[in-house]
Amino acid sequence: MPTTYQSPYGREIVLIVASDRISAFDYVLQDKIPGKGKYLTYLSEWWFHQLAGIVPHHYLSNDVPAAVSGHAMLAARLQMYPIECTVRGYLSEAIWQEYAETGAVCGNPLPSGIEICEQLPEPIFCPAKKARIGKHDENITFDTLVQQVGADNAVQMRQYAFDVYNHGAQISGEHGLILADTKLEFGAASDSGEESVVLGDEVLTPDSSHYWLTADYQPGEKSVSLDKELISSWLISQSDWDPSANTTPPALPKEIIAETQKRYILAVKTITGSKLFGID
């Protein structure tokens, strides 16, 4: 293990390894997406470099043991908040029904007449409380977030979440992609409370974000996502499986696995210009 790296927050350094496993509807599926761990690690590292000076984050280095090279990184240990912070810039299909029924999303009132997949007047912040394994995360209001983490931390989380989304959306747009939304996690960097909100986990990957190809985008029409949405859609189409029944999801067809892999690779190549992961 490298010993030359020091955490800027005075905490331990940890090795974070990304696997090829994938989840949907809060279930970890039995199938794997070949290479996914490497794709997400590479893209997260790329984004952490882009976010330098934008938000404090936990990433330190990819100087990791050879056994996990390519799908692991060194990071500062954080005390993670049990909160997921989602920023939505577009009215994706996943939140359309809530908007249609209430005129709002996650407690954020929106103007009438917004079409599915249309860009919102401005990005909205949608926090959620993380549930125990096997349970579903719970959307919460900003006031509840304040109760969970304190007012100063809640305000800082929201600001950092907007900063990451806006910077990510700008860079993605320059590379031919729309960043429809992204989910972020934060942690406390020190027990003393200094640097108490730091970006952790992965960032702006196809596992935590929805990316749409700008060339194919049409407001009012469902957009093809370069992420795991294809898997979610296939699972929903299976009449003999109910996500709420707490039963094992069905095995994925080979073509769904292969197409999902291609979409992950296309996202990495389009954003970073990398030719490391090539599929014709």
Side-chain angles (χ1 to χ4, degrees), residues 18-57:
S19 77
D20 292 348
R21 301 296 296 273
I22 194 162
S23 64
F25 300 108
D26 299 314
Y27 292 91
V28 177
L29 306 185
Q30 56 187 301
D31 301 288
K32 298 179 181 180
I33 306 301
K36 184 178 83 78
K38 290 187 176 183
Y39 311 149
L40 297 196
T41 298
Y42 182 85
L43 189 54
S44 278
E45 290 174 343
W46 189 90
W47 275 118
F48 279 127
H49 287 296
Q50 310 307 310
L51 292 169
I54 304 296
V55 296
H57 58 71

Side-chain angles (χ1 to χ4, degrees), residues 1-8 10-16 58 60-61 73-78:
M1 174 66 65
T3 58
T4 57
Y5 294 96
Q6 297 294 322
S7 166
R11 295 179 67 94
E12 295 177 302
I13 293 174
V14 295
L15 178 70
I16 299 177
H58 71 159
L60 296 175
S61 169
M73 63 184 183
L74 294 178
R77 182 186 293 278
L78 303 177

Side-chain angles (χ1 to χ4, degrees), residues 148-170:
Q148 294 285 326
V149 303
D152 290 345
N153 288 339
V155 170
Q156 192 66 82
M157 281 184 183
R158 180 174 61 184
Q159 185 58 58
Y160 282 160
F162 280 134
D163 291 343
V164 171
Y165 175 81
N166 290 331
H167 196 62
Q170 177 185 342

Side-chain angles (χ1 to χ4, degrees), residues 29-172:
L29 306 185
Q30 56 187 301
D31 301 288
K32 298 179 181 180
I33 306 301
K36 184 178 83 78
K38 290 187 176 183
Y39 311 149
L40 297 196
T41 298
Y42 182 85
L43 189 54
S44 278
E45 290 174 343
W46 189 90
W47 275 118
F48 279 127
H49 287 296
Q50 310 307 310
L51 292 169
I54 304 296
V55 296
H57 58 71
H58 71 159
Y59 175 75
L60 296 175
S61 169
N62 63 2
D63 185 13
V64 299
V68 291
S69 179
H71 54 98
M73 63 184 183
L74 294 178
R77 182 186 293 278
L78 303 177
Q79 186 65 41
M80 300 302 293
Y81 295 106
I83 301 292
E84 291 184 339
C85 298
T86 298
V87 177
R88 302 184 182 278
Y90 289 73
L91 191 65
S92 66
E93 184 182 27
I95 57 174
W96 167 257
Q97 193 62 38
E98 180 182 355
Y99 166 72
E101 292 175 356
T102 68
V105 173
C106 299
N108 296 277
L110 296 173
S112 61
I114 302 177
E115 295 185 279
I116 191 169
C117 293
E118 185 176 352
Q119 186 174 16
L120 300 174
E122 58 184 13
I124 59 175
F125 179 66
C126 301
K129 184 177 180 180
K130 295 189 71 172
R132 298 190 303 272
I133 295 175
K135 303 295 183 180
H136 298 293
D137 295 341
E138 175 189 356
N139 290 334
I140 59 176
T141 64
F142 184 75
D143 288 342
T144 301
L145 177 62
V146 169
Q147 296 172 12
Q148 294 285 326
V149 303
D152 290 345
N153 288 339
V155 170
Q156 192 66 82
M157 281 184 183
R158 180 174 61 184
Q159 185 58 58
Y160 282 160
F162 280 134
D163 291 343
V164 171
Y165 175 81
N166 290 331
H167 196 62
Q170 177 185 342
I171 293 177
S172 299

Side-chain angles (χ1 to χ4, degrees), residues 147-257:
Q147 296 172 12
Q148 294 285 326
V149 303
D152 290 345
N153 288 339
V155 170
Q156 192 66 82
M157 281 184 183
R158 180 174 61 184
Q159 185 58 58
Y160 282 160
F162 280 134
D163 291 343
V164 171
Y165 175 81
N166 290 331
H167 196 62
Q170 177 185 342
I171 293 177
S172 299
E174 293 169 354
H175 292 77
L177 291 181
I178 291 171
L179 178 60
D181 54 58
T182 193
K183 179 175 64 179
L184 306 164
E185 295 190 32
F186 297 93
S190 71
D191 296 329
S192 66
E194 297 179 2
E195 294 288 358
S196 57
V197 176
V198 176
L199 178 64
D201 199 52
E202 60 184 321
V203 61
L204 296 169
T205 72
D207 261 16
S208 63
S209 313
H210 286 108
Y211 286 105
W212 303 335
L213 288 167
T214 304
D216 295 339
Y217 171 70
Q218 289 291 336
E221 299 180 9
K222 180 180 177 181
S223 296
V224 175
S225 290
L226 303 186
D227 48 54
K228 60 182 181 180
E229 188 174 281
L230 179 66
I231 290 175
S232 299
S233 297
W234 183 83
L235 288 171
I236 290 173
S237 72
Q238 304 308 295
S239 58
D240 57 347
W241 183 71
D242 180 0
S244 64
N246 198 28
T247 57
T248 302
L252 299 175
K254 292 181 179 180
E255 59 269 22
I256 295 294
I257 293 173

